[in-house]
């Protein structure tokens, strides 16, 4: 029994040390975000803040248009999410429930395209977007990402699991494909659609390279680029940089606090089926 | 007919932003371009041979492989140990789960800026910690010897959330009665971990391995923010090098050639893993 208790204590010790390492960078950003500038750039650095300066959160809006960054990112992520849900659920329905010529070939095209790393299409896509005069626009940020093979595949797997009898019953009642899709398939597929929604929103929210390439003006920047711009402003002090970071990571932290369980389930479903 | 209407939006978007660019990449890789991205002249395979003779390709592959080697095994091992330790925890399980999943929701943009400050030569917490422990400060991002290691350290931290969540949920899928009967047979926790957890978890571990290697080959954000490929190209990973060729030097031809090689490398890696590793994986 004594050995058992010692073992438990060792487990907790390891976990606590690991948790400190995992949490520290984030907690430290919160600490820095409320420090006075002198303290944030003092040596030796303070492990916990000795000053409290919440005005940082207001001041940071003065050096970069952080409200615009956050608004842009939510708008772009929202458009991409809705777009992906529409295109993917339509295509998935066609693959799961309809018969047509070339189905096998078109489906294998979709699956094959999942193997192509995004970077391969990056250069021509940049040239396309530029020739359309879409640089620095919301179209440029969203349109290339409105369709997704992964999402189509995920939803198709789910649609295939819906019972055949349901479709036959609906048919008997005179239900065509469109009504069946809108009134039966979509409402029944909420879990899969929710997973795809979270996945695509987070993916776009966190994307970095594409917005870096195609946006130039401050007002079109997304959060991820905006945050790294903050750091390059020579006159900016670190407490303001971290006030900005705190503002940007708070929404995702809240998502984790309230949605850890769903996120775990969604990740597992997405990860193992995709 | 209706089926094609359902497929049309996806097919149209794929056509314009996936299939056409794929062909255009092949086309561009055979040409040299002027700084505006217009095709200047046909050069044939010269872009590819140039990548090999200039060392740009081999160096990129070497740095990226090293980066994968530094981040993938460490990242998986840490996540596996933490997932195993939190699996049947009686108290505080949710709290630890929260802590270890946390890095996942941070984007590479914010995470890299946070770490840039932790790595700061004089103000950074890491060097201060070393000083308190009686060690000399480390030139984290400024020395070619340390830079890739530093970026890897940050990447292992950043990937912890995803690896931990996927491995934990894989462990939840292992039926409890297997452990019960092993316990009756007198197996200790280590034996159970080796004989039950690892084999039954192998599909999940396999999945994490594939995804981690591919994502190591696609890393960009942390490199761009922390080191910009330097010092002395020591962190010039593949995608960063593509970015630099195409969007800093405006050589879209060699950039495309490099991107196609990345495609080949990633496809090869995926195939090798499915052919060789999957044979050793236990599926129920």
């Amino acid at each position: 029994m004594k050995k058992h208790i010692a073992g438990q204590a060792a487990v907790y010790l390891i976990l606590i040390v690991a948790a400190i390492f995992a949490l520290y960078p984030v907690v430290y950003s919160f600490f820095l975000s409320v420090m006075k500038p002198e303290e944030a750039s003092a040596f030796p650095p303070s492990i916990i803040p000795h000053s409290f300066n919440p005005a940082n959160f207001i001041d940071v809006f003065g050096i970069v248009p952080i409200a615009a960054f956050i608004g842009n990112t939510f708008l772009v992520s929202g458009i991409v999410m809705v777009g992906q849900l529409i295109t993917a659920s339509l295509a998935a329905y066609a693959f799961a429930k309809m018969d047509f010529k070339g189905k096998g070939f078109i489906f294998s095209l979709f699956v094959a395209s999942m193997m192509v790393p995004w970077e391969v299409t990056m250069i021509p896509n940049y040239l396309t977007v530029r020739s359309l005069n879409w640089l620095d626009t919301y179209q440029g940020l969203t349109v290339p990402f409105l369709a997704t093979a992964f999402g189509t595949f995920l939803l198709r797997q789910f649609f295939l699991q819906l019972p055949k009898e349901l479709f036959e019953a609906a048919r008997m009642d005179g239900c065509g494909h469109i009504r069946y899709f809108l009134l039966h398939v979509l409402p029944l597929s909420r879990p899969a659609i929710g997973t795809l929604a979270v996945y695509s929103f987070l993916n776009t929210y966190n994307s970095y390279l594409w917005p870096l390439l195609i946006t130039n003006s401050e007002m079109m920047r997304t959060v991820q680029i905006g945050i790294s711009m903050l750091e390059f402003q020579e006159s900016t002090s670190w407490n303001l940089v971290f006030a900005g970071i705190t503002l940007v990571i708070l929404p995702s932290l809240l998502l984790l606090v309230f949605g850890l369980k769903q996120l775990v389930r969604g990740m597992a479903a997405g990860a193992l089926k995709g | 007919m209706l089926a094609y209407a359902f497929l049309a939006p996806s097919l149209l978007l794929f056509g314009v932003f996936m299939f056409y660019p794929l062909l255009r990449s092949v086309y561009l890789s055979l040409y040299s371009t002027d700084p505006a991205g217009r095709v200047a002249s046909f050069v044939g395979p010269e872009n590819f041979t140039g990548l090999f003779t200039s060392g740009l390709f081999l160096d990129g592959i070497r740095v990226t492989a090293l980066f994968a080697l530094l981040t993938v095994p460490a990242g998986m091992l840490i996540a596996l140990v933490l997932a195993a330790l939190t699996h049947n925890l009686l108290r505080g399980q949710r709290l630890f789960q929260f802590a270890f999943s946390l890095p996942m929701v941070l984007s590479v943009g914010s995470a890299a800026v946070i770490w840039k400050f932790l790595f700061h030569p004089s103000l950074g917490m890491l060097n201060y910690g070393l000083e308190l422990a009686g060690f000399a400060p480390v030139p984290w991002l400024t020395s070619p010897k340390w830079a890739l290691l530093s970026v890897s350290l940050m990447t292992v931290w950043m990937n912890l959330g995803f690896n931990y969540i996927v491995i934990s949920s894989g462990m939840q899928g292992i039926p409890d009665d297997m452990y019960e009967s092993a316990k009756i047979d007198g197996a200790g926790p280590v034996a159970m971990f080796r004989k039950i957890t690892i084999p039954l978890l192998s599909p999940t571990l396999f999945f994490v391995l594939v995804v981690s290697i591919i994502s190591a080959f696609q890393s960009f954000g942390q490199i761009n923010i922390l080191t910009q490929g330097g010092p002395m190209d020591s962190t010039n990973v593949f995608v960063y090098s593509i970015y630099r060729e195409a969007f800093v030097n405006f050589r879209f031809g060699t950039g495309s050639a490099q991107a196609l090689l990345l495609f080949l490398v990633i496809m090869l890696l995926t195939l090798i893993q499915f052919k060789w590793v999957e044979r050793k994986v236990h599926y129920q």
Side-chain angles (χ1 to χ4, degrees):
Chain A
M1 203 58 212
K2 234 181 198 155
K3 207 177 138 199
H4 182 70
I5 292 174
Q8 278 286 314
V11 166
Y12 275 99
L13 192 70
I14 296 171
L15 287 177
I16 289 170
V17 172
I20 291 173
F21 276 104
L23 289 176
Y24 187 73
V26 176
V27 175
Y28 188 52
S29 333
F30 294 160
F31 287 165
L32 272 163
S33 70
V34 295
M35 285 184 191
K36 291 221 167 73
E38 310 85 67
E39 193 186 358
S41 51
F43 188 86
S46 312
I47 292 175
I48 52 164
H50 300 294
S51 58
F52 183 68
N53 191 26
N56 290 342
F57 291 105
I58 298 162
D59 294 345
V60 71
F61 284 92
I63 27 170
V64 284
I66 200 157
F69 296 161
I70 294 177
N72 278 339
T73 315
F74 270 89
L75 185 67
V76 167
S77 309
I79 293 173
V80 170
M81 179 184 84
V82 172
Q84 287 195 358
L85 291 182
I86 295 173
T87 58
S89 64
L90 282 170
Y93 182 82
F95 286 130
K97 300 282 172 193
M98 292 164 122
D99 279 316
F100 53 93
K101 226 176 145 186
K103 183 167 158 177
F105 173 70
I106 299 176
F107 186 65
S108 57
L109 268 186
F110 271 63
V111 174
S113 73
M114 279 200 285
M115 298 262 283
V116 182
W118 174 80
E119 288 81 5
V120 178
T121 54
M122 164 177 84
I123 293 170
N125 275 344
Y126 171 82
L127 297 173
T128 304
V129 162
R130 195 180 64 181
S131 66
L132 290 169
N133 274 328
W134 280 3
L135 289 184
D136 237 8
T137 63
Y138 290 117
Q139 301 92 288
L141 283 168
T142 54
V143 176
F145 303 100
L146 289 183
T148 152
F150 166 75
T152 307
F153 191 71
L154 183 83
L155 293 184
R156 170 187 172 267
Q157 298 304 93
F158 197 87
F159 292 171
L160 284 174
Q161 290 166 17
L162 295 176
K164 267 207 166 72
E165 295 76 33
L166 186 75
F167 182 55
E168 279 150 18
R171 265 279 140 102
M172 296 279 270
D173 292 342
C175 205
H177 275 299
I178 295 177
R179 267 183 54 202
Y180 179 63
F181 170 69
L182 291 175
L183 297 180
H184 297 282
V185 173
L186 286 185
L188 284 173
S189 310
R190 263 185 307 223
I193 290 176
T195 299
L196 180 59
V198 172
Y199 180 85
S200 70
F201 191 92
L202 274 181
N203 244 1
T204 316
Y205 189 86
N206 290 339
S207 63
Y208 181 79
L209 181 47
W210 183 252
L212 178 73
L213 289 183
I214 74 149
T215 60
N216 291 314
S217 66
E218 274 213 335
M219 292 317 285
M220 281 309 296
R221 291 295 199 190
T222 58
V223 156
Q224 306 313 332
I225 315 299
I227 279 301
S228 42
M229 273 166 56
L230 256 178
E231 185 246 331
F232 289 113
Q233 311 246 333
E234 291 292 326
S235 58
T236 311
S237 34
W238 286 98
N239 55 330
L240 294 183
V241 174
F242 279 89
I245 289 182
T246 300
L247 288 173
V248 166
I249 62 183
L250 268 183
S252 357
L253 283 187
L254 291 178
L255 189 82
L256 188 67
V257 172
F258 293 112
L260 182 61
K261 243 186 170 158
Q262 282 81 349
L263 200 66
V264 171
R265 207 181 301 142
M267 289 297 296
L272 300 174
K273 275 183 194 150
Chain B
M1 260 310 83
L2 192 63
Y4 297 113
F6 274 56
L7 284 174
S10 292
L11 279 179
L12 183 73
L13 285 160
F14 279 157
V16 178
F17 294 106
M18 171 93 67
F19 299 125
Y20 162 71
L22 207 55
L23 295 175
R24 180 115 187 252
S25 262
V26 177
Y27 172 80
L28 279 174
S29 72
L30 300 173
Y31 286 81
S32 71
T33 55
D34 66 5
R38 280 183 298 263
V39 165
S41 64
F42 179 78
V43 295
E46 217 167 80
N47 285 332
F48 291 93
T49 52
L51 284 175
F52 283 95
T53 49
S54 71
L56 207 55
F57 174 70
L58 290 175
D59 282 348
I61 280 287
R62 201 177 46 80
V63 173
T64 313
L66 199 58
F67 179 67
L69 213 61
L70 285 169
T71 54
V72 177
M76 284 181 67
L77 198 69
I78 294 171
L80 179 65
V81 169
L82 293 178
L85 290 182
T86 47
H87 183 50
N88 278 324
L89 213 58
L90 292 174
R91 271 162 209 272
Q93 192 188 27
R94 287 291 295 272
L95 220 65
F96 286 118
Q97 279 180 343
F98 176 79
F100 301 140
S101 329
L102 176 76
M104 193 188 76
V105 293
L106 295 198
S107 65
V108 64
S110 346
V113 177
I114 294 175
W115 277 81
K116 191 155 191 186
F117 192 63
L118 293 175
F119 284 134
H120 196 286
S122 54
L123 301 176
M125 202 38 93
L126 289 172
N127 274 349
Y128 181 55
L130 285 178
E131 195 190 300
L132 286 183
F135 292 102
V138 165
W140 297 102
L141 298 172
T142 46
S143 135
K145 240 173 62 194
W146 282 93
L148 191 67
L149 201 69
S150 307
V151 175
S152 304
L153 184 69
M154 179 265 168
T155 308
V156 168
W157 177 80
M158 198 176 69
N159 292 343
L160 174 68
F162 176 82
N163 293 356
Y164 172 80
I165 283 184
V166 175
I167 293 177
S168 299
S169 60
M171 278 185 187
Q172 274 165 22
I174 301 174
D176 282 333
D177 46 340
M178 302 210 63
Y179 292 108
E180 300 290 329
S181 53
K183 220 177 210 168
I184 294 168
D185 292 343
V190 177
M192 284 198 276
F193 183 72
R194 271 188 39 215
K195 296 265 164 66
I196 301 173
T197 312
I198 293 293
L200 289 181
L201 202 61
S202 55
T204 308
L205 292 176
F206 174 62
F207 168 79
V208 176
L209 180 73
V210 175
V211 172
S212 304
I213 294 185
I214 291 178
S215 91
F217 269 80
Q218 293 179 292
S219 299
F220 174 81
Q222 66 270 54
I223 305 285
N224 191 41
I225 292 172
L226 289 176
T227 62
Q228 309 199 315
M232 290 163 55
D233 282 346
S234 60
T235 59
N236 193 12
V237 291
F238 221 98
V239 176
Y240 194 78
S241 154
I242 296 175
Y243 166 77
R244 197 145 70 177
E245 273 304 285
F247 299 103
V248 179
N249 301 331
F250 297 109
R251 287 195 286 257
F252 293 101
T254 39
S256 296
Q258 244 179 314
L260 287 173
L261 289 175
L262 174 75
F263 184 18
L264 281 184
V265 170
I266 286 184
M267 209 138 90
L268 210 67
L269 279 172
T270 316
L271 288 178
I272 289 174
Q273 288 177 17
F274 275 99
K275 272 244 153 26
W276 274 275
V277 187
E278 203 186 17
R279 252 190 246 162
K280 300 200 169 94
V281 170
H282 172 100
Y283 280 105
Q284 267 186 309

